[in-house]
Amino acid sequence: KDKSPSPGDYLCGSLAACKVITLRMYANRKGWSVDLIKARVELTKTDDGRNVFLCDLAIQGDITADQKKRMLEISRVCPIQKLLSSSTEIITVLNQSV
């Protein structure tokens, strides 16, 4: 009945959560006063069929513009972004014992 998120929505949620968790761990490790980190991710397709994830971050707290810039850089190396950005092979098999 189209009442639940799509698989793509779950993928976007995974990327957003990974970015926020990565940034929170980084800010805590640095001892930076970050009050709020939000991420919104939208998946679109280009005219040539490529998938594009648009990631909109919001970071609030007592941090400098340079610290925010560094956090943007860190957000780009979260594990899920690395996974989605890499060349990936998917192997699917049919389990005969079920």
Side-chain angles (χ1 to χ4, degrees):
K1 296 182 180 183
D2 291 330
K3 290 187 178 185
S4 65
S6 71
D9 292 337
Y10 284 113
L11 191 55
C12 289
S14 176
L15 180 57
C18 188
K19 286 182 175 291
V20 170
I21 291 166
T22 299
L23 290 175
R24 176 56 62 194
M25 289 183 344
Y26 184 79
N28 288 349
R29 192 178 83 223
K30 291 291 190 176
W32 292 351
S33 179
V34 175
D35 301 322
L36 177 72
I37 303 170
K38 286 185 179 181
R40 187 178 62 81
V41 178
E42 184 178 315
L43 175 60
T44 61
K45 278 204 181 288
T46 63
D47 291 340
D48 62 358
R50 292 183 310 113
N51 296 312
V52 176
F53 291 92
L54 174 61
C55 304
D56 184 15
L57 295 176
I59 302 169
Q60 295 177 355
D62 187 21
I63 59 174
T64 67
D66 284 341
Q67 288 171 322
K68 283 185 178 182
K69 182 179 174 185
R70 180 64 181 145
M71 289 186 75
L72 176 61
E73 293 169 4
I74 294 298
S75 78
R76 292 178 177 144
V77 295
C78 78
I80 296 297
Q81 179 159 338
K82 286 181 180 180
L83 175 70
L84 292 172
S85 299
S86 70
S87 177
T88 303
E89 181 178 353
I90 299 173
I91 300 170
T92 305
V93 298
L94 183 60
N95 187 332
Q96 299 294 330
S97 64
V98 177

